[in-house]
Amino acid sequence: MSAVAWQRLLGAAWGGRAAALCRGLRTGPPRLQDSAEAAEKQSATDLSTHIQVVSFDNRPFARTSCGTEGFQNAKKGTAIAAQTAAMAAAVKARGKGVLHVRVMVKGLGPGRKAAIKGLTMGGLEVISITDNTPIPHNGCRPRKARRM
Amino acid sequence: MANHLRFLGRTVMVQNGNVEAAYGALNRILSQDGLVEVVRRRRYYEKPCRRRQRLAYEACRRVYNAEMGRKIAFLARGSRQDPWLGC
């Protein structure tokens, strides 16, 4: 990218001399203000909550879920399980140097709010909360209604 | 939402570290925009006959509530000038 800009500047007649002055022309990927900015994705279903802490260019930092915290079956689908999973993920991410986090929540479930609270209790600072619940524009047909 | 910018839509910024208020604001916006009901409805398939019944029911309910609201507002009016003044 910088090579192309450089050649174009050198090709111009009167800009040839001035081109030598502006050397820092390349535009790399936009640098974020925070030193360690990470995104944290939660998937909060009725059965369990999964939490994944990821950097801005999708390099993983930590991944926990209610199952990895030792809860089984029905106990995974509770708010307390989500909170402990979030605290564990926050501690792990903190160990790798993550401070600020943007939360993306997916799904409506018992662990939706509790997981965000667990993150703040685990020491990560939440900057923004996004809701990324998948809403199909009439895509796949869901399962049939219960209690027919 | 996979093809859009990641933190553009359905995002609430947290002010002064007040995560609870931000989450409450997000929930309020989502329910006001009807997204919560849509998600809950799409969990199980709604057959076309049930869908027609539901839409008719919601339309009737909307009309009824509007008329009832008008009636209540009419009956609860106050501070108007006395129509029987001088009688």
Side-chain angles (χ1 to χ4, degrees):
Chain A
M1 206 152 148
S2 66
V4 172
W6 190 244
Q7 280 162 17
R8 217 173 319 133
L9 281 174
L10 287 179
W14 57 88
R17 217 39 80 74
L21 296 172
C22 45
R23 265 181 302 187
L25 262 187
R26 49 183 313 209
T27 54
R31 303 253 169 257
L32 301 162
Q33 292 295 339
D34 298 345
S35 57
E37 169 131 343
E40 179 264 347
K41 308 183 217 170
Q42 298 173 20
S43 155
T45 61
D46 335 330
L47 298 173
S48 173
T49 308
H50 299 253
I51 297 167
Q52 194 178 15
V53 185
V54 141
S55 77
F56 64 91
D57 49 0
N58 281 342
R59 281 180 300 118
F61 283 127
R63 180 160 82 176
T64 53
S65 72
C66 296
T68 60
E69 295 307 300
F71 293 95
Q72 309 261 359
N73 299 334
K75 301 199 179 67
K76 291 189 297 189
T78 51
I80 309 152
Q83 195 172 11
T84 49
M87 284 173 68
V91 163
K92 280 191 202 174
R94 208 60 202 279
K96 298 207 175 174
V98 175
L99 295 169
H100 306 280
V101 128
R102 313 186 82 154
V103 177
M104 295 183 78
V105 196
K106 206 180 264 204
L108 295 174
R112 201 168 130 112
K113 182 169 184 177
I116 307 179
K117 200 157 66 157
L119 282 180
T120 49
M121 282 165 63
L124 288 178
E125 190 183 323
V126 174
I127 308 176
S128 72
I129 310 177
T130 319
D131 178 84
N132 201 12
T133 316
I135 297 182
H137 299 322
N138 287 352
C140 301
R141 179 166 167 151
R143 56 158 292 179
K144 68 175 188 184
R146 299 168 71 194
R147 295 196 189 104
M148 290 286 280
Chain B
M1 292 284 283
N3 295 331
H4 299 279
L5 276 171
R6 273 210 293 183
F7 300 104
L8 200 62
R10 299 192 243 162
T11 305
V12 171
M13 305 294 290
V14 171
Q15 292 180 350
N16 302 332
N18 204 352
V19 179
E20 306 270 328
Y23 184 77
L26 180 72
N27 262 1
R28 186 174 15 101
I29 291 171
L30 289 178
S31 51
Q32 274 177 359
D33 291 345
L35 278 178
V36 177
E37 296 165 16
V38 167
V39 167
R40 207 182 319 127
R41 199 180 300 136
R42 281 184 191 275
R43 194 164 291 171
Y44 305 111
Y45 182 64
E46 188 184 27
K47 286 190 183 174
C49 67
R50 299 280 306 172
R51 186 184 144 87
R52 270 180 261 125
Q53 290 169 2
R54 176 182 55 87
L55 291 175
Y57 165 78
E58 278 177 4
C60 295
R61 193 164 162 245
R62 200 176 296 132
V63 169
Y64 178 84
N65 284 345
E67 290 296 311
M68 185 59 90
R70 268 187 65 215
K71 174 178 175 179
I72 291 174
F74 176 75
L75 292 177
R77 3 160 238 156
S79 68
R80 57 190 172 115
Q81 54 195 6
D82 187 9
W84 309 109
L85 190 64
C87 287

